[in-house]
Amino acid sequence: MRANMLPTEDFERDPSAFTDRVTSDGRYGRVAEPGRYRLVVSRACPWAHRVVMVRRIMGLEEAISLAVVDPLQEVIDGEPHWVFSEGNGDRDGKDPVLGIHALREAYLARDPHYTGGVSVPALVDVATGELVSNDYDMLSVDLATEWGDLAREGAPSLYPELLREEIDTVSAWIHRDLNHGVYRAGFAPDQEVYEDAVSNVFSRLDYLERRLAGHRYLVSDHITLADLRLWATLVRFDAVYHGHFKCNRRKLSEYPVLWAYARDLYQTPGFGDTTDLLHIREHYYYVHTGINPSRIVAVGPDPYGWEEPHYREALNGEPFRGDTPPDPVPENERVTDLEFQG
């Protein structure tokens, strides 16, 4: 996720610049091994959030360490950058493991001539300090499928082979109409592009309202990567996309089925306990000066709504279906209490 994108043309997301894969057998040159890699994320970013959720659900906290950048960013050489501050790094504003202040240092360690964008999530090789990958989709898939020997006992199958075609199909239209669609609306350069994007966003939400009325989860009777990819957008919808990105035909909380589905997942380990609504609001409203030049950060909505009963247990399905939920979040990775997120 990059920031401060100006509404000058129809929004297009930059392709991932570095796409090395880390696998159990090292068939692409890098082997999954404990302590070798560090995952750098922003808790504001939906693309990074899905990777954090996979890491947590699979129980990979000890295998892959986590670094969280400051949500407000810092202008370096005229461009906003993801950086570590005293609150997210050491007293010198550096990551205590990688020893860097700005994430771009890992990009430049990989390619000293790199001039492209710097985005999260970023998997960094601790031994060399070099960026390995900023491919959020493949990072999610590989953490779900290639780190099995290092995953916790009882970890679920988030990307089972028999369901991969359906998961990929569902994920494709979720990406087009929702994950990407809200950004098309928020950074639309003109009324026509904006209205087209908003129409697609709400047509897809209307469809999901019907689809999930009789099914607890998107693809199967347990959570899969499709649910994580959708939920990363849903949890941000009322907080930032509804107002900040002008996706204001309806709120998520005005969709009875979708709102219950979203609360169900929020209350499932790996979802709500990796979500920081304060980071989300601060980043979007403060950094996107092209659409919010005042940098006034919205105070709502009330975060305690996420803890209301959802009653989705009546539907067929269980989040981990025979497997077990992850252990409590490690002390050093706990997010801000809801009391301070509202």
Side-chain angles (χ1 to χ4, degrees), residues 11-316:
F11 178 80
E12 291 292 340
R13 186 164 303 280
D14 291 341
S16 299
F18 302 96
T19 58
D20 287 9
R21 296 184 61 185
V22 180
T23 62
S24 59
D25 58 4
R27 61 188 181 277
Y28 298 106
R30 295 182 182 271
V31 180
E33 54 183 292
R36 180 62 186 264
Y37 302 100
R38 188 158 174 81
L39 180 64
V40 181
V41 303
S42 164
R43 292 207 181 274
C45 173
W47 318 97
H49 194 177
R50 59 178 68 182
V51 182
V52 174
M53 286 189 282
V54 174
R55 171 182 173 270
R56 164 121 174 80
I57 291 170
M58 298 301 293
L60 292 168
E61 291 98 329
E62 292 187 7
I64 307 170
S65 62
L66 185 71
V68 179
V69 295
D70 192 296
L72 300 186
Q73 299 197 313
E74 178 182 317
V75 176
I76 301 175
D77 297 333
E79 295 289 334
H81 278 274
W82 297 113
V83 300
F84 296 96
S85 61
E86 185 173 340
N88 297 79
D90 59 21
R91 292 183 178 179
D92 296 323
K94 293 184 177 181
D95 178 70
V97 174
L98 299 174
I100 60 175
H101 173 59
L103 178 56
R104 73 168 182 170
E105 295 172 48
Y107 277 68
L108 293 175
R110 170 70 181 267
D111 178 3
H113 304 292
Y114 180 70
T115 59
V118 175
S119 63
V120 289
L123 190 69
V124 180
D125 187 319
V126 173
T128 65
E130 297 179 357
L131 177 73
V132 173
S133 175
N134 67 339
D135 186 340
Y136 58 87
D137 243 354
M138 192 52 67
L139 281 171
S140 297
V141 169
D142 283 346
L143 262 61
T145 60
E146 293 289 344
W147 289 69
D149 292 342
L150 297 171
R152 64 181 177 85
E153 184 177 354
S157 179
L158 295 174
Y159 194 52
E161 289 191 26
L162 292 177
L163 295 176
R164 287 182 184 179
E165 183 176 355
E166 185 176 4
I167 290 171
D168 291 345
T169 298
V170 170
S171 297
W173 49 252
I174 287 173
H175 175 85
R176 182 190 66 232
D177 296 335
L178 291 176
N179 304 146
H180 181 68
V182 293
Y183 280 83
R184 282 193 69 225
F187 292 102
D190 55 48
Q191 191 71 27
E192 182 179 1
V193 171
Y194 163 72
E195 291 186 6
D196 178 68
V198 167
S199 176
N200 291 338
V201 165
F202 285 96
S203 291
R204 187 55 65 186
L205 290 175
D206 292 344
Y207 167 77
L208 286 165
E209 179 79 356
R210 298 189 299 271
R211 179 182 179 115
L212 288 165
H215 302 277
R216 191 170 181 185
Y217 304 108
L218 268 175
V219 171
S220 183
D221 59 355
H222 60 91
I223 57 173
T224 67
L225 287 181
D227 296 291
L228 275 66
R229 291 162 176 167
L230 171 61
W231 194 81
T233 293
L234 296 184
V235 75
R236 289 161 174 77
F237 200 89
D238 287 2
V240 289
Y241 301 146
H242 178 269
H244 185 55
F245 278 2
K246 307 182 192 69
C247 294
N248 59 358
R249 182 177 293 170
R250 280 184 295 279
K251 297 178 182 177
L252 174 66
S253 58
E254 293 171 348
Y255 282 94
V257 171
L258 267 177
W259 177 221
Y261 164 82
R263 297 199 311 277
D264 185 4
L265 290 178
Y266 181 90
Q267 295 167 32
T268 299
F271 291 82
D273 56 19
T274 60
T275 302
D276 193 320
L277 293 168
L278 179 59
H279 268 217
I280 291 168
R281 294 200 316 276
E282 284 184 337
H283 172 76
Y284 279 86
Y285 281 100
Y286 187 88
V287 171
H288 296 160
T289 54
I291 54 178
N292 186 36
S294 69
R295 285 183 163 172
I296 294 172
V297 178
V299 298
D302 182 355
Y304 286 102
W306 287 100
E307 295 186 328
E308 294 176 357
H310 54 78
Y311 306 110
R312 299 275 294 177
E313 305 95 333
L315 297 173
N316 183 43

